[in-house]
Amino acid sequence: MSGGRAVFQEMRNMIRPMGTTTTNVLQKTRNIGIIAHIDAGKTTVTERILYFSGKIYKKGEVHDGNTVTDYMPEERERGITIKSAATACEWDSYKINILDTPGHVDFTAEVERSLRVLDGAVGVFCAVAGVQAQSETVWRQANRYHVPRISFINKIDRIGGDMNKAVKSIREKLGGNAVPLQIPIGREKDFIGVVDVIAGEAIYFNDADEDAFTKGPVPPELVAEMEKAREVIIDAASQFDDAIMEKFMAGETITAAEMKRGLRAATMACKATPVLVGTALKNKGVHQLLDAVCEYLPSPLDMPPIKGKIPGKAEEEVERLPDPAGALAALAFKTISDRNGDLTFIRVYSGELLNGSVVWNARKGKQERINRLYKMHADKREPVEKLSAGDMGAAVGLKLTFTGDTLCDRDNPIILGAMSFPDPVISMSIAPKTTADREKLGEALSQMVKEDPTFHRHTDEETGEVVISGMGELHLDIKVTVLQREQNVSVDVGRPKVAYRQTFDREVEVEGKHVKQTGGHGQYGVVKVRFELHPLLTGGVEFESEVVGGRVPTEYVPAVEDGLKEFGKRGGRLKWPFVGIKAILYDGKAHDVDSSELAFKSASELAFREAIDRVRIVLLEPMMRIEVEVPEANVGDVIGDLNSRRAQVDEVSYSGVNRIVSGKVPLAELFQYSTTLRSMTQGRGTYSSEPCAYTPVPAAIAEKIILDRAKALELR
């Protein structure tokens, strides 16, 4: 048995037998997310899934602002998804729990925490644009959590819609083993059906009856293409099924059931991505997509046991099987503030979470009472008595439990791996207009921070100014709108500011000496630190100790680490955090009587200051990967404008009748870009962007930025 097949079989064997009813329920449960780039159509796909499964009886439209999962006023006004919404439906005796996630990069945290708790995902791609910027981001997030995926090529009826091009972009840009299960019949507006490659038949959609479609022979002109697609399916399936491989090598016919079985194994191992095609807006292809969700995406029983750590024993790893009779293991993955009590979204991996029970918050080390449990349908709640292994739901009124916390049995504690979120790249000041607003502002911001791990707030110690930080202009704009509309807080906002970073231009060795004698015990600490450059370190200053022979006593080394990291985070004179630096403590001196943690911490800060004086500071700025879609007549103007913004244009490609300009541009140059783009293209141009890296600011521009920063800090 090959390595991939062995891993898959071992994973299956780890699930111990359970009661027949429980096993059947879990086998027919799917926990999936809908992920995509903005405007690829994932909310429409979700809406059609709910409609055709009978969960809702009237289709909503994004452009009409009446979809189920986009229920926030801001979502309906702007036509975008801001918060992931949970819902569920049933299809062919399967229970499907769904998270509809945002497609805009500013709300990437919603995708991150959704993928952390999902067993599978449907990636939605525009048939015209193929893989777009945010498609790459969500795909990488799914890779990080090993989430099996199927893909749906949407909008195939649009001008320029091309399934082959979209599949090629999945393979080339995402590195995904895209395996088409269907071939479209007809192009663009003449799209009338699909060829089911595995079944070897054609499916024709009925415009007059959304639920009806007819089957027939494959059009002769598509038979050769179908045979090639079947070879791709058999190749993917054979990698995870010995029987298929043996029959293939012997030249025997592979049955449809065998192809499905092998492809399902490859999909669950994240080695293949089945691809379907359709147009959700015109109700075509959604039935087949639902069938594929049930056929190829895993149940909780198919997933490896969830792993975690025992509190206080970081080196010990434990596992929990998806068994309702097992010890409780549940992860809180999202919190929504509510006047009637915070709503905490929970995925239960093992055991049962019961109304009225008392559970253990392993991360906080405290008890938490479960008062009310719900299954969610967007903004509507269905009360339930319990959530069992494999379920997703929500609890109201939890006092201590927030995003990333684990709920478990106190006698069988476990801490599940939490999520990681990117640091904010943009900030602005915010001030209440009245005294009454001042009192409400603090509480409102605290609620927002609790809800959104990528939204930060702090008070400037020198000016008393409240500063909010987020992932982009849209992110902060929506937060301000929510403050004013939902929280009734009137505020004035300052101009957005870029979250710059600092690093050194070279390595340097320095000594920090904190020696004072004030009568009685003095203060004595000497450290020698080597600062090395590590451009890939983006989370702050990294520390390492190479001290030998007790030159710096072991008990003082943590104080040196704290001093260096805290000073690096404060950012010295310019107050921008230092990154890309590794601080290595290689020598020092201590005094038997006068040394202390405080003395060594002060010495480490002095060492950092000395290093700053001896090197040249390199200013780093966040770069954004950008895609601008415009009519061909406007390409020249758009590229010229981007060049004036210090952009690096990498590619100009076709997207139907439009052109897509791709490249990188500094965030500082993108403020109000949407207004400029609309003006240049008479409202026909659109763009998307996402953070991609921090790069040095050109010397002349950096000098002005630093000078302006220094003057602003002096004025305070």
Side-chain angles (χ1 to χ4, degrees):
M1 185 176 285
S2 70
R5 291 193 296 275
V7 171
F8 175 69
Q9 189 60 50
E10 181 182 352
M11 183 177 77
R12 294 286 299 180
N13 293 337
M14 293 179 73
I15 307 299
R16 61 184 175 86
M18 288 178 274
T20 303
T21 302
T22 298
T23 301
N24 288 343
V25 170
L26 285 173
Q27 283 177 342
K28 292 205 165 187
T29 296
R30 300 290 183 268
N31 293 312
I32 69 167
I34 312 295
I35 60 175
H37 181 89
I38 190 170
D39 288 337
K42 58 191 168 35
T43 297
T44 301
V45 169
T46 305
E47 193 77 8
R48 296 306 186 267
I49 286 175
L50 296 176
Y51 175 73
F52 288 119
S53 65
K55 183 70 177 184
I56 60 176
Y57 300 99
K58 182 177 182 296
K59 299 189 298 288
E61 307 293 351
V62 172
H63 54 267
D64 291 334
N66 60 357
T67 57
V68 169
T69 53
D70 284 353
Y71 58 86
M72 292 176 58
E74 288 76 21
E75 292 177 316
R76 293 185 167 178
E77 286 179 5
R78 298 170 187 262
I80 61 172
T81 301
I82 295 171
K83 290 184 177 180
S84 57
T87 186
C89 67
E90 292 187 3
W91 181 259
D92 192 23
S93 77
Y94 284 81
K95 181 177 73 172
I96 305 175
N97 298 314
I98 304 170
L99 292 179
D100 178 29
T101 66
H104 197 289
V105 66
D106 283 17
F107 313 107
T108 189
E110 293 287 326
V111 184
E112 183 81 17
R113 53 188 174 189
S114 296
L115 287 169
R116 170 64 179 82
V117 298
L118 292 170
D119 299 330
V122 176
V124 180
F125 299 90
C126 174
V128 180
V131 172
Q132 297 167 277
Q134 184 66 0
S135 308
E136 296 183 47
T137 300
V138 298
W139 201 265
R140 287 195 301 269
Q141 290 171 306
N143 285 340
R144 183 158 58 247
Y145 294 115
H146 306 289
V147 178
R149 276 145 281 172
I150 62 177
S151 294
F152 183 67
I153 308 299
N154 193 29
K155 304 183 180 181
I156 193 65
D157 59 329
R158 284 183 53 186
I159 295 175
D162 186 334
M163 181 180 180
N164 290 332
K165 187 178 75 171
V167 168
K168 183 180 179 182
S169 70
I170 293 174
R171 291 170 177 164
E172 294 181 350
K173 292 186 178 181
L174 303 180
N177 182 18
V179 181
L181 304 187
Q182 299 172 336
I183 299 168
I185 301 174
R187 290 182 60 85
E188 299 175 348
K189 64 181 178 60
D190 296 323
F191 171 69
I192 57 172
V194 296
V195 172
D196 184 331
V197 176
I198 291 179
E201 62 186 11
I203 298 173
Y204 294 95
F205 301 117
N206 188 330
D207 289 328
D209 185 349
E210 300 164 342
D211 277 308
F213 42 84
T214 57
K215 296 183 179 180
V218 177
E221 66 273 16
L222 295 178
V223 170
E225 188 176 350
M226 180 189 72
E227 292 302 328
K228 287 183 180 179
R230 183 170 292 199
E231 291 176 6
V232 174
I233 294 173
I234 292 173
D235 180 63
S238 65
Q239 302 301 314
F240 283 81
D241 195 303
D242 287 327
I244 297 176
M245 177 67 78
E246 290 169 4
K247 291 184 72 172
F248 176 73
M249 297 299 293
E252 299 178 21
T253 300
I254 312 298
T255 67
E258 288 170 330
M259 281 188 270
K260 289 181 179 180
R261 184 185 69 213
L263 185 57
R264 173 176 169 80
T267 303
M268 290 192 295
C270 296
K271 297 300 183 182
T273 304
V275 182
L276 298 96
V277 64
T279 169
L281 186 64
K282 302 292 180 58
N283 313 304
K284 297 176 181 179
V286 179
H287 293 76
Q288 291 71 31
L289 174 62
L290 279 164
D291 289 339
V293 166
C294 301
E295 185 75 53
Y296 300 109
L297 291 181
S299 73
L301 289 175
D302 296 314
M303 300 300 290
I306 191 70
K307 295 180 180 180
K309 303 289 187 181
I310 296 177
K313 300 179 181 179
E315 70 284 354
E316 289 192 36
E317 192 171 67
V318 291
E319 296 180 342
R320 294 283 192 269
L321 296 169
D323 185 354
L328 176 65
L331 182 69
F333 64 94
K334 178 177 176 178
T335 300
I336 294 180
S337 295
D338 191 280
R339 293 182 178 87
N340 299 316
D342 290 349
L343 197 63
T344 304
F345 287 74
I346 298 169
R347 163 70 193 266
V348 181
Y349 290 96
S350 175
E352 292 183 331
L353 197 60
L354 304 174
N355 262 335
S357 62
V358 176
V359 298
W360 187 248
N361 184 321
R363 194 173 299 279
K364 303 287 175 53
K366 294 183 179 180
Q367 290 187 156
E368 184 81 86
R369 176 172 289 279
I370 306 299
N371 294 316
R372 287 170 290 168
L373 293 171
Y374 297 95
K375 288 292 185 68
M376 301 300 297
H377 179 49
D379 58 340
K380 296 179 175 58
R381 309 175 186 182
E382 175 192 342
V384 294
E385 289 301 314
K386 65 180 180 181
L387 297 174
S388 297
D391 283 341
M392 291 193 295
V396 170
L398 300 187
K399 305 296 183 184
L400 305 168
T401 304
F402 306 114
T403 299
D405 286 348
T406 301
L407 297 178
C408 59
D409 296 331
R410 186 168 186 173
D411 295 333
N412 291 286
I414 183 174
I415 296 179
L416 303 177
M419 294 144 274
S420 61
F421 300 102
D423 292 328
V425 297
I426 189 172
S427 62
M428 66 183 183
S429 61
I430 186 168
K433 289 188 175 181
T434 68
T435 302
D437 290 323
R438 183 180 301 279
E439 295 172 356
K440 293 187 290 184
L441 179 61
E443 182 179 348
L445 289 178
S446 296
Q447 290 179 350
M448 289 181 171
V449 169
K450 186 166 56 177
E451 284 188 356
D452 186 349
T454 60
F455 178 67
H456 296 184
R457 58 79 64 96
H458 74 274
T459 302
D460 189 290
E461 295 179 359
E462 296 183 13
T463 65
E465 190 176 57
V466 176
V467 178
I468 58 175
S469 305
M471 300 306 298
E473 275 190 286
L474 178 62
H475 191 196
L476 295 185
D477 182 40
I478 287 174
K479 294 298 183 184
V480 171
T481 300
V482 170
L483 270 176
Q484 296 175 328
R485 174 183 288 169
E486 297 183 15
Q487 304 289 345
N488 296 316
V489 181
S490 298
V491 294
D492 293 316
V493 297
R495 175 181 166 79
K497 300 176 183 177
V498 174
Y500 290 104
R501 299 287 186 265
Q502 301 179 86
T503 191
F504 295 168
D505 69 327
R506 59 185 174 85
E507 298 181 2
V508 64
E509 292 186 0
V510 295
E511 179 181 80
K513 183 182 295 185
H514 182 73
V515 180
K516 290 187 177 181
Q517 190 67 43
T518 57
H521 285 311
Q523 298 181 44
Y524 190 97
V526 178
V527 296
K528 294 185 178 181
V529 181
R530 180 170 65 253
F531 290 90
E532 297 181 351
L533 303 184
H534 287 260
L536 295 180
L537 296 178
T538 58
V541 176
E542 188 173 294
F543 174 80
E544 183 180 323
S545 175
E546 294 181 351
V547 173
V548 294
R551 299 282 291 175
V552 176
T554 305
E555 62 267 28
Y556 298 140
V557 171
V560 176
E561 179 177 2
D562 289 345
L564 291 168
K565 287 186 173 180
E566 288 176 12
F567 187 88
K569 188 175 182 179
R570 292 198 303 270
R573 182 175 65 93
L574 296 175
K575 300 188 183 299
W576 283 318
F578 282 91
V579 297
I581 295 171
K582 187 173 185 179
I584 301 172
L585 175 66
Y586 68 90
D587 200 0
K589 295 179 182 178
H591 190 278
D592 292 340
V593 177
D594 293 342
S595 288
S596 65
E597 290 184 359
L598 179 61
F600 273 95
K601 186 175 183 179
S602 298
S604 66
E605 293 185 359
L606 290 170
F608 212 130
R609 292 180 187 275
E610 176 68 17
I612 292 173
D613 289 340
R614 291 174 54 181
V615 301
R616 184 176 67 83
I617 295 299
V618 177
L619 191 64
L620 305 174
E621 64 181 344
M623 297 291 289
M624 309 294 286
R625 183 183 293 112
I626 189 172
E627 285 189 354
V628 187
E629 183 172 348
V630 295
E632 181 146 12
N634 302 117
V635 170
D637 291 338
V638 167
I639 292 178
D641 179 71
L642 286 173
N643 287 335
S644 72
R645 296 172 184 268
R646 299 191 284 125
Q648 172 189 325
V649 176
D650 299 327
E651 181 184 14
V652 180
S653 57
Y654 283 95
S655 176
V657 297
N658 288 339
R659 303 291 290 274
I660 295 180
V661 181
S662 305
K664 300 180 182 68
V665 62
L667 173 63
E669 303 289 350
L670 275 183
F671 293 150
Q672 302 299 317
Y673 180 65
S674 57
T675 302
T676 302
L677 182 63
R678 282 196 299 269
S679 176
M680 279 192 297
T681 63
Q682 293 77 50
R684 291 180 291 171
T686 61
Y687 87 100
S688 64
S689 63
E690 64 168 343
C692 60
Y694 269 87
T695 61
V697 180
I701 297 174
E703 185 177 346
K704 182 179 185 307
I705 293 172
I706 291 173
L707 183 62
D708 290 345
R709 177 73 165 182
K711 287 181 178 178
L713 292 173
E714 286 174 7
L715 291 175
R716 295 179 180 180

